[in-house]
Amino acid sequence: MLLEVRNLVKEFGGVVANADISLEIERGMTVGLIGPNGAGKTTLFNCIAGYYKPTGGKVFFGGKEITGWPAHQVAKIGIARTFQGMKIMPNLTVEENVMVGAFCRTRDRQIAKKKAQEILEGLNLVQEINIYPTELPIATQKRIELGRALATNPQLLMLDEIAAGLNPIETKEIIQVLKRMKEERDLTLFLTEHVMEFVMTISEVVTVMAAGRKIAEGPPKEVAKQERVIEAYLGKRYAKGQ
Ligand SMILES: Nc1ncnc2c1ncn2[C@@H]1O[C@H](COP(=O)(O)OP(=O)(O)OP(=O)(O)O)[C@@H](O)[C@H]1O
Ligand SMILES: [Mg+2]
């Protein structure tokens, strides 16, 4: 098992954002995490990736306990993530933004630069290398964010709403990029998404959260039929189309 989350709890004051979440992700899988706004998806990502310390429960990566490890250490062991709100640095060029990820593995600027160039080539961003990201379209910024995560050489890549704000064509493109990167780099993917056409087509397993709890898990087609998933999130219209 690559990732194992056991009875994870995260509370903010009185708010229980994650209540007793357990899940396992096998190496090489693509797992989707869905659920309504405020369900606790980003909080779970933050607890796994070391941005929040869980209130309770445990996280294992490759069999090793990593509960409460700081983000930089979690990155070093092989977990990368992109951010829902994007964390691109506006005063760094595209190349420098991706180098930030590469510095997870090296202190050598030349090595980091080479790594960034290799990643940017794979993402079709060679033309943009010296541009400041805020001048670029949102879909390109998302790819830069992805590039920064990939530059850390992850085994597990967690994507928090990478398709949010993209049009259907851009969404299809990012799906293709992710599939290619997964193959080329032997990645395991864990992604949250509200764009159902995306998450339900790319994921082999879907986990559903609502109000801090895990309410369902399984292959997308089976999960989409479950009454409590329809009620909590998908609505009748999506279920009928399946
Ligand atoms: N840093 C924080 N401080 C206090 N409360 C927080 C914090 N982060 C998240 N929460 C609360 O935890 C709950 C879950 O939020 P979270 O962002 O994890 O949901 P989400 O499933 O990612 O939602 P969305 O689909 O809108 O991104 C919400 O009630 C939110 O207000
Ligand atoms: Mg979120």
Side-chain angles (χ1 to χ4, degrees):
M1 206 54 65
L2 186 60
L3 179 76
E4 188 186 347
V5 175
R6 217 183 278 167
N7 306 109
L8 192 124
V9 176
K10 179 64 187 175
E11 293 173 4
F12 297 104
V15 177
V16 184
N18 285 166
D20 197 28
I21 303 289
S22 295
L23 59 87
E24 292 182 348
I25 298 183
E26 260 178 67
R27 193 180 289 277
M29 293 286 281
T30 298
V31 177
L33 180 63
I34 62 171
N37 295 117
K41 306 179 296 294
T42 298
T43 301
L44 180 61
F45 271 25
N46 281 329
C47 286
I48 295 168
Y51 290 83
Y52 293 159
K53 273 198 180 6
T55 313
K58 289 182 173 171
V59 182
F60 297 86
F61 187 71
K64 192 181 174 94
E65 188 177 353
I66 60 162
T67 321
W69 281 21
H72 69 270
Q73 222 175 321
V74 174
K76 265 210 167 112
I77 203 171
I79 301 179
R81 55 90 58 96
T82 61
F83 292 86
Q84 187 169 350
M86 288 202 282
K87 291 237 160 129
I88 285 179
M89 312 217 188
N91 52 342
L92 299 182
T93 65
V94 169
E95 183 181 67
E96 287 164 345
N97 265 281
V98 177
M99 282 169 72
V100 170
F103 281 126
C104 165
R105 306 251 168 239
T106 180
R107 283 165 183 244
D108 186 312
R109 214 183 143 77
Q110 282 317 309
I111 294 174
K113 200 175 164 77
K114 241 181 135 191
K115 179 83 196 167
Q117 284 170 355
E118 170 216 319
I119 300 269
L120 287 164
E121 220 167 280
L123 292 172
N124 279 331
L125 288 172
V126 175
Q127 306 283 327
E128 287 85 354
I129 224 157
N130 292 316
I131 296 178
Y132 289 91
T134 44
E135 295 168 26
L136 295 165
I138 201 93
T140 313
Q141 293 193 31
K142 294 264 181 172
R143 271 191 287 161
I144 299 164
E145 171 93 358
L146 181 60
R148 183 174 42 70
L150 288 171
T152 67
N153 270 354
Q155 298 175 56
L156 175 68
L157 177 59
M158 304 203 299
L159 305 159
D160 198 348
E161 299 201 22
I162 192 101
L166 303 188
N167 69 35
I169 293 166
E170 292 165 342
T171 302
K172 279 205 180 109
E173 279 169 4
I174 201 99
I175 291 174
Q176 289 317 314
V177 168
L178 283 174
K179 283 186 171 162
R180 183 161 49 82
M181 288 294 164
K182 180 175 187 289
E183 284 301 307
E184 285 175 13
R185 295 170 182 273
D186 267 335
L187 297 172
T188 302
L189 300 179
F190 189 23
L191 47 109
T192 78
E193 204 59 66
H194 287 292
V195 183
M196 285 303 110
E197 293 75 13
F198 179 174
V199 71
M200 295 308 227
T201 48
I202 199 172
S203 304
E204 293 155 278
V205 172
V206 174
T207 298
V208 189
M209 285 180 71
R213 298 193 170 274
K214 178 170 138 181
I215 61 161
E217 185 175 61
K221 282 212 163 109
E222 283 172 28
V223 163
K225 281 189 220 147
Q226 292 183 23
E227 197 56 40
R228 62 191 152 164
V229 176
I230 296 166
E231 257 167 43
Y233 185 50
L234 292 177
K236 298 260 186 272
R237 210 161 55 99
Y238 181 83
K240 268 193 192 136
Q242 288 302 294

